[in-house]
């Protein structure tokens, strides 16, 4: 892990063996370089992590509607309260922090985090929000060209155009999504990850994440106060499937927790799957059966695949079941000495009832 502060312009250089990044004194990214692929992610002459404000005055339903004409009111957040400074350096984690003023009532404080051998950069953000009919977003102009961007939905993903050639395309100026959105061309792309935001926009080569709104009806105090959230930027080689973007988004949302243990502790995992395309999404106790677990898995890449579910638990029986946990006596899961063999079609959801 390397970090160096430039005294000339106040910028900071950070590197972890996978990514090399230059951060301007106002917290924007001057450069984000994927080292092994020798590819720059930030578009020429532009800055990533640019906060922008919009006027947000819908015609009818304040808290529900977002009108396309708000895009004509774009205003970058430029006032620096505290320039970028190093918070921690070296070891397993390096980070820098800065503070911006949105208005006389609202501020943004952010810590930009680079972890050792981590393929993405995290932006831990705190916003003091006291606006009225405003919309806060963050932009990443990237060096990628594609007619479509990909957005995660529950148990899958979908694509939306990055152009506005037709009225239908224009109407999709913002797209809802879950933990990640990805813009990729052949053999290179950039993913935008987050832990609690659901509005994205990718127009041409600019990736935008919607952060906060300030509606005044039906609740005049909606969203006022202090907000904490994290998003991340992840340049990658190959497709988002090959680059493990989906797993990285899960890692951001469910970070590792450190616990104390003895030096001779043996690693242990209750479950594992043999294919990277299969996500073990849920493990829960059965509702109406003792000594039983319900597992829910899904195929995340959009492919047909056969995988093996391995477990260290003493499973006596395994059955396919529905969402109400009712097992189908005609569909026992195929158990072998290596585990439970499962076959998936693209985006298929499989629920299993395991009897211990």
């Amino acid at each position: 892990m390397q970090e160096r502060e430039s005294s000339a312009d106040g910028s900071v250089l950070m590197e972890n063996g996978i990514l090399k990044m230059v951060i301007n004194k106002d917290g924007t990214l001057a450069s984000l370089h994927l080292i092994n692929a020798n590819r720059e992610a930030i578009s020429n002459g532009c800055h990533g992590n640019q906060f922008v404000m919009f006027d947000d005055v819908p015609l009818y339903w304040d808290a529900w509607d977002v009108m396309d004409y708000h895009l004509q009111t774009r205003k970058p957040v430029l006032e620096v309260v505290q320039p970028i400074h190093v918070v921690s350096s070296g070891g397993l984690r390096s980070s820098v922090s800065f503070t911006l003023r949105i208005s006389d009532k609202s501020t943004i404080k952010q810590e930009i985090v680079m972890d050792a051998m981590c393929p993405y950069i995290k932006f831990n953000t705190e916003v003091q929000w006291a606006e009225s009919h405003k919309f806060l977003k963050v932009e990443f102009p990237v060096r990628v060209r594609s007619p479509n961007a990909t957005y995660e939905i529950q148990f899958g993903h979908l694509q939306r155009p990055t152009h506005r050639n037709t009225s239908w395309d224009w109407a999709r100026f913002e797209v809802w999504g879950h933990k990640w959105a990805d813009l990729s061309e052949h053999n290179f792309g950039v993913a935008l990850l987050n832990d609690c935001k659901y509005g994205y926009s990718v127009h041409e080569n600019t990736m935008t994440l919607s952060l906060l709104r300030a509606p005044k009806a039906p609740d005049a105090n909606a969203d006022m106060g202090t907000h904490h959230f994290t998003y991340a930027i992840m340049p990658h080689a190959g497709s988002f499937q090959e680059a493990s973007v989906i797993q990285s988004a899960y890692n951001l949302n469910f970070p590792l927790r450190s616990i104390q243990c003895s030096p001779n502790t043996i690693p242990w995992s209750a479950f594992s799957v043999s294919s990277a395309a299969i996500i073990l999404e849920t493990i829960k106790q059965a509702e109406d059966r003792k000594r039983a677990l319900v597992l829910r898995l899904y195929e995340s890449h959009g492919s047909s695949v056969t995988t093996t579910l391995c477990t260290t638990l003493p499973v006596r029986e395994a059955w396919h079941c529905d969402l109400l946990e009712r097992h189908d006596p005609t569909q026992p899961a195929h158990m072998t000495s290596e585990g439970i063999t499962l076959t998936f079609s693209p985006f298929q959801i499989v629920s299993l009832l395991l009897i211990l």
Side-chain angles (χ1 to χ4, degrees), residues 208-221:
T208 304
L209 181 64
S210 298
L211 301 177
L212 288 171
R213 296 181 66 217
K216 294 304 171 186
D219 182 358
N221 296 312

Side-chain angles (χ1 to χ4, degrees), residues 29-105:
L29 304 189
S31 173
L32 180 58
H33 195 79
L34 184 60
I35 296 173
N36 288 345
N38 193 26
R39 289 290 299 265
E40 172 61 42
I42 303 299
S43 186
N44 287 330
C46 299
H47 294 154
N49 198 40
Q50 177 65 65
F51 289 100
V52 288
M53 287 281 284
F54 298 84
D55 294 334
D56 182 24
V57 187
L59 291 176
Y60 299 108
W61 311 108
D62 223 24
W64 289 271
D65 288 355
V66 176
M67 310 305 295
D68 57 358
Y69 53 73
H70 86 278
L71 298 171
Q72 303 172 14
T73 65
R74 178 184 179 276
K75 183 180 178 181
V77 178
L78 301 175
E79 185 176 353
V80 179
V81 176
Q82 184 176 33
I84 196 165
H85 59 280
V86 176
V87 176
S88 63
S89 62
L92 297 177
R93 170 170 293 180
S94 292
S95 65
V96 297
S97 180
F98 65 95
T99 303
L100 303 177
R101 178 174 284 113
I102 300 173
S103 68
D104 57 353
K105 298 176 291 185

Side-chain angles (χ1 to χ4, degrees), residues 151-172:
Y151 305 84
E152 188 198 37
I153 60 175
Q154 188 178 29
F155 302 131
H157 56 265
L158 52 76
Q159 290 191 328
R160 290 290 182 264
T162 61
H163 54 78
R164 296 171 182 168
N165 291 349
T166 70
S167 59
W168 286 19
D169 299 330
W170 178 267
R172 291 180 283 192

Side-chain angles (χ1 to χ4, degrees), residues 289-332:
R289 188 188 296 258
K290 294 182 179 180
R291 295 189 60 81
L293 297 175
V294 173
L295 275 60
R296 187 155 296 129
L297 307 93
Y298 74 98
E299 197 287 321
S300 64
H301 287 181
S303 60
S304 297
V305 64
T306 298
T307 189
T308 300
L309 172 67
C310 301
T311 179
T312 56
L313 301 179
V315 176
R316 296 188 293 109
E317 301 176 37
W319 299 88
H320 289 271
C321 65
D322 61 16
L323 296 179
L324 297 179
E325 303 182 10
R326 298 174 300 195
H327 79 279
D328 186 345
T330 67
Q331 291 192 51

